[in-house]
Amino acid sequence: MKLYYIEILWKRNLDADSVTPTIKEILVGNDGSQEAFGIIQKNKPELLPTDPSYQKYFVKESAEFIFYNSPNGVERFPDEVEIMGTFDEKDVLYGDNLTYYVVRFKSTDPTFAHKDWMRMLLGAYYPDKIPTPWQPTSLDDEYTDFMPWREKSFKEHVEDFRSHLAEKHGTNEKDEVFYQSTPKFNRRNNTIAILFFVLFLPLIWVKDWFTFGLLLPPVSLLLNYLHAKKIEKNIMVQIRGYYLDYYCFDDGTYVNLNDIANVKLEKNTLSKPERFLKLPLKKWQYIFYDHGGNAIYSIPSHYLIEEYFIPIFKKQTAHLSQPPVLEWENE
């Protein structure tokens, strides 16, 4: 109730200074710290904590809800929660540094009272980010098997948790193909060819040499079709796990999605193997840049099925510490 009252005051810009200490008190408690974070983030982001020690309050509250919502639990909050330490791991896909919390908890409920303290794993969190109650969905490694804490040392618990993470991520989606496409022949060219054919047809009654004009649409259509088949055979774009692969004629390369800083949509000239009749035509292309500002790929937009590619690309990069920026969405 205090939180909602404070939020109303902030929204109406009333007595804002006097309530700041109150919401900070809630932020460092086990009850409402996550809700307090959300309200601050929405209304007063400049008040968000930057001290890494604040993370422990979010972790302890998360531990309470994990026990409460466990399918093997009793739908009660634990009576006590303690953070016993942390350990660091590398993200197997991106190489990012990750921090995991080792927690113990106990409940006086008859189902668990005999176990006394029990172990729990919470993570992963980015150590270089400000404290936050939420971690990326793809890195949600919260886990407990209700093993009594007294049965093993802290080091042995950490070894068990590391084994759990290795087993969980050992069957990761690194090589699973989420998106794949090759350019298709644009059937709009059929309409253009037929239109030109119909326009030239009445002209042959004016001059016989307009007959040659009737040959241009089908010949152009045939050449365009053959060119499209060549492009289809030599071009492929795919998102394979956490990699973007682009096969362009004899140049087949891939890049980790973590290495892409931003993507721009620009109108540029196609490379020579992709040009129709060697014409220097300009097409809309997605330009992928790395963190150094260098262009990694220049992929013509008609090589992609955009309504599928863009959402999948966003999903596969959403949990990165620095997701790629799609420039045209900010314009």
Side-chain angles (χ1 to χ4, degrees):
M1 293 301 294
K2 286 182 180 179
L3 288 173
Y4 296 133
Y5 172 71
I6 291 170
E7 186 173 29
I8 291 173
L9 288 180
W10 275 350
K11 285 182 177 180
R12 297 182 180 180
N13 201 27
L14 298 172
D15 200 24
D17 293 335
S18 65
V19 299
T20 299
T22 302
I23 200 166
K24 284 188 175 180
E25 289 176 6
I26 298 173
L27 194 63
V28 299
N30 284 9
D31 299 319
S33 62
Q34 296 185 13
E35 188 71 20
F37 181 93
I39 290 176
I40 294 175
Q41 186 181 46
K42 183 178 179 181
N43 298 280
K44 298 279 186 178
E46 65 274 11
L47 297 180
L48 287 176
T50 57
D51 184 349
S53 65
Y54 271 85
Q55 189 67 63
K56 63 186 179 184
Y57 301 109
F58 302 134
V59 168
K60 292 179 73 172
E61 187 172 359
S62 293
E64 292 183 343
F65 280 99
I66 291 169
F67 178 71
Y68 184 92
N69 294 314
S70 172
N72 298 317
V74 290
E75 294 188 346
R76 287 182 57 183
F77 289 110
D79 293 280
E80 293 185 66
V81 175
E82 289 185 4
I83 296 176
M84 305 305 294
T86 63
F87 65 91
D88 295 332
E89 284 282 287
K90 284 282 188 179
D91 185 344
V92 294
L93 295 173
Y94 293 109
D96 291 334
N97 292 321
L98 304 173
T99 295
Y100 291 88
Y101 283 82
V102 178
V103 173
R104 71 176 188 175
F105 63 97
K106 67 178 179 180
S107 171
T108 56
D109 186 273
T111 305
F112 295 102
H114 67 285
K115 293 189 175 185
D116 197 33
W117 292 99
M118 294 164 282
R119 68 181 185 180
M120 182 184 294
L121 172 71
L122 283 96
Y125 297 92
Y126 289 117
D128 57 339
K129 290 287 187 179
I130 66 170
T132 170
W134 309 292
Q135 63 267 61
T137 304
S138 60
L139 297 176
D140 184 0
D141 289 317
E142 296 166 346
Y143 167 77
T144 181
D145 55 5
F146 303 104
M147 175 180 283
W149 181 265
R150 62 177 178 268
E151 292 187 6
K152 294 188 177 184
S153 66
F154 175 81
K155 182 179 179 181
E156 289 173 326
H157 286 304
V158 170
E159 290 174 353
D160 287 350
F161 288 145
R162 288 187 189 275
S163 298
H164 164 75
L165 294 173
E167 181 179 352
K168 177 180 178 180
H169 296 295
T171 55
N172 60 63
E173 300 169 332
K174 185 174 182 178
D175 295 317
E176 183 177 349
V177 176
F178 294 96
Y179 172 90
Q180 187 178 91
S181 67
T182 56
K184 300 298 182 183
F185 176 65
N186 190 349
R187 296 188 179 277
R188 183 183 62 181
N189 295 314
N190 293 345
T191 304
I192 296 174
I194 293 172
L195 180 62
F196 272 97
F197 185 84
V198 171
L199 289 175
F200 274 106
L201 188 60
L203 294 177
I204 63 175
W205 300 102
V206 180
K207 292 288 184 180
D208 291 341
W209 55 267
F210 275 114
T211 305
F212 292 101
L214 295 178
L215 300 176
L216 292 178
V219 169
S220 175
L221 184 62
L222 177 62
L223 292 175
N224 198 16
Y225 176 78
L226 294 175
H227 177 73
K229 298 304 290 185
K230 183 183 76 169
I231 293 294
E232 180 182 344
K233 184 179 179 181
N234 290 279
I235 300 289
M236 186 178 72
V237 181
Q238 70 176 13
I239 295 178
R240 174 177 51 88
Y242 295 93
Y243 291 88
L244 174 61
D245 301 332
Y246 181 39
Y247 301 94
C248 182
F249 288 85
D250 295 328
D251 184 20
T253 55
Y254 66 92
V255 65
N256 192 313
L257 295 176
N258 195 36
D259 295 331
I260 300 174
N262 61 315
V263 187
K264 296 182 180 180
L265 188 58
E266 302 174 353
K267 206 166 190 178
N268 291 330
T269 304
L270 295 173
S271 63
K272 289 184 179 180
E274 303 166 82
R275 296 178 188 174
F276 175 58
L277 297 178
K278 308 300 181 182
L279 299 174
L281 302 174
K282 288 190 174 183
K283 296 285 187 179
W284 286 105
Q285 302 185 50
Y286 288 105
I287 316 296
F288 296 80
Y289 293 91
D290 63 17
H291 294 279
N294 303 307
I296 305 172
Y297 294 135
S298 179
I299 304 178
S301 62
H302 62 287
Y303 288 1
L304 308 172
I305 305 174
E306 296 169 89
E307 60 267 32
Y308 297 117
F309 176 83
I310 298 301
I312 293 174
F313 180 79
K314 286 183 176 180
K315 180 181 178 181
Q316 292 301 101
T317 58
H319 77 286
L320 295 175
S321 56
Q322 290 183 307
V325 178
L326 306 185
E327 297 287 351
W328 66 90
E329 291 189 346
N330 297 330
E331 295 174 357

